[in-house]
Amino acid sequence: MAKAIREAYGEALVKYGRDNPDVVVLEADLSGSTRSALFQAACPERFFNVGVAEANMAAMAAGFASVGKIPFINTFATFMITLGLLPARVYGSYSGLNVKYMGAYSGLSDSYDGPSHHTVEDIALMRALPNFRVYVASDELNTDWLVKHAIESKGPMYIRLSRDVFPSVYEPGTKFEDGKGKVIRDGKDVTIAACGIMVGFALEAAKILASEGIDARVLDIFSIKPLDAELLLESARSTGAVVTAEEHSVMGGLGGAVSEVLALGHAGVPVGFVGLADCHAECGAYKELLSKYQLDVPAIAAKVRETVAKKR
């Protein structure tokens, strides 16, 4: 049975951090929501709730990192990229300190709290910071690997985490590699490059499209930076069209990153974008918001049909 990404994250912190004395966890008074509370229960001496002081939390984490610790800092993604952005730029990007920035409740997943708590610009902001690596968790198994990878790898990272339970994408034992996307479904007519919960939606859309005679390849681009340019270019050339799908603004996120690769690689294929238009979403039930703002299975299928029709 699928598990909420936030729950998988909390469990992975305990799994990989309990016996590693260098792992410390900092929280901005949201441990029940981010599930860092699981680490607090297991390792209270290495857990620090700083209260509603996100910038201070990031600065404290920089101090821990400067003496060899591996700090994970936790808050909702919207506060991480606003209140935490200056220390991320100074201590993470510029100074290269080994801080792991965990952006919880990303996209529209903090649905009822509305636009002040939605996060649709974090990928764009964080991938623009030099020295940062940027990832988007797609399911519980991918989340587990990302936590392990963060502990084992030096340097600042931003990892985008969702809230709700969505169908699993991967089987136990799946191997992941930094900077390498995953081919989830092969196809010859179009490539759907997705991240986060949109990977599962893309698979569902591919099934619908297959019944219409459109054979879609689905990629999980969980590693936004570094980006798997080789896979994207090969897929674009072999399928002749690309659609990106993300729970993020269409400006500067996965779609922007993929477009940069395709332009520099002279791919010359039609490209479509599924993402939030240049707007803020409203309050409401999560799945209703995803539908209204065209971030669901029907929206992906419609964009694929539109893009495939532009193939020469």
Side-chain angles (χ1 to χ4, degrees):
M1 182 176 178
K3 183 181 298 181
I5 284 177
R6 64 171 179 164
E7 198 70 29
Y9 167 63
E11 292 177 1
L13 271 181
V14 176
K15 178 180 177 181
Y16 298 113
R18 185 203 300 268
D19 297 324
N20 187 332
D22 289 332
V23 173
V24 295
V25 174
L26 293 85
E27 177 62 64
D29 213 25
L30 290 167
S31 60
S33 298
T34 67
R35 303 309 290 146
S36 69
L38 298 178
F39 189 87
Q40 179 184 19
C43 307
E45 74 285 357
R46 288 187 275 128
F47 180 89
F48 304 89
N49 184 358
V50 308
V52 185
E54 291 84 357
N56 288 344
M57 174 177 66
M60 290 169 62
F64 278 118
S66 71
V67 294
K69 299 300 182 183
I70 307 170
F72 284 73
I73 62 174
N74 300 272
T75 188
F76 290 175
T78 187
F79 305 129
M80 190 72 77
I81 61 148
T82 51
L83 300 170
L85 185 59
L86 179 58
R89 185 176 186 273
V90 173
Y91 301 126
S93 175
Y94 181 72
S95 300
L97 291 171
N98 189 29
V99 180
K100 315 305 176 181
Y101 299 75
M102 312 303 293
Y105 283 48
S106 64
L108 306 183
S109 65
D110 197 4
S111 56
Y112 284 109
D113 285 336
S116 64
H117 284 58
H118 299 160
T119 316
V120 297
E121 59 281 292
D122 55 327
I123 297 174
L125 287 169
M126 299 308 286
R127 81 178 185 93
L129 293 178
N131 298 317
F132 258 89
R133 283 175 279 175
V134 178
Y135 307 92
V136 182
S138 48
D139 75 354
E140 68 272 22
L141 291 172
N142 184 239
T143 302
D144 181 272
W145 180 83
L146 284 170
V147 173
K148 181 175 182 289
H149 177 60
I151 292 172
E152 294 175 345
S153 302
K154 297 290 186 182
M157 289 184 186
Y158 176 71
I159 300 179
R160 188 184 216 237
L161 303 168
S162 190
R163 173 186 180 179
D164 283 15
V165 178
F166 287 91
S168 299
V169 175
Y170 295 107
E171 296 292 332
T174 301
K175 304 297 183 184
F176 300 97
E177 187 177 349
D178 189 27
K180 295 294 183 182
K182 301 285 287 186
V183 179
I184 309 299
R185 182 188 191 277
D186 209 356
K188 67 180 188 305
D189 297 325
V190 62
T191 296
I192 308 174
C195 64
I197 67 166
M198 303 296 275
V199 178
F201 290 175
L203 284 171
E204 291 301 312
K207 294 176 184 177
I208 295 170
L209 293 163
S211 69
E212 304 171 9
I214 299 175
D215 189 19
R217 176 184 292 190
V218 177
L219 308 180
D220 179 7
I221 307 297
F222 66 87
S223 180
I224 305 290
K225 183 185 177 184
L227 191 64
D228 194 344
E230 181 180 1
L231 175 62
L232 288 167
L233 286 170
E234 185 279 322
S235 294
R237 290 164 180 154
S238 63
T239 65
V242 175
V243 171
T244 63
E246 58 191 315
E247 190 187 0
H248 185 276
S249 171
V250 294
M251 296 178 161
L254 174 66
V258 170
S259 295
E260 291 162 13
V261 166
L262 298 182
L264 290 170
H266 306 288
V269 300
V271 181
F273 305 95
V274 175
L276 199 74
D278 189 17
C279 67
H280 290 287
E282 60 194 82
C283 303
Y286 188 26
K287 291 185 179 179
E288 292 177 10
L289 291 179
L290 292 175
S291 176
K292 177 170 182 174
Y293 293 97
Q294 300 184 347
L295 302 171
D296 58 2
V297 173
I300 295 173
K303 184 59 66 173
V304 167
R305 295 185 195 102
E306 175 189 315
T307 306
V308 168
K310 297 177 181 178
K311 291 173 67 173
R312 289 194 290 268

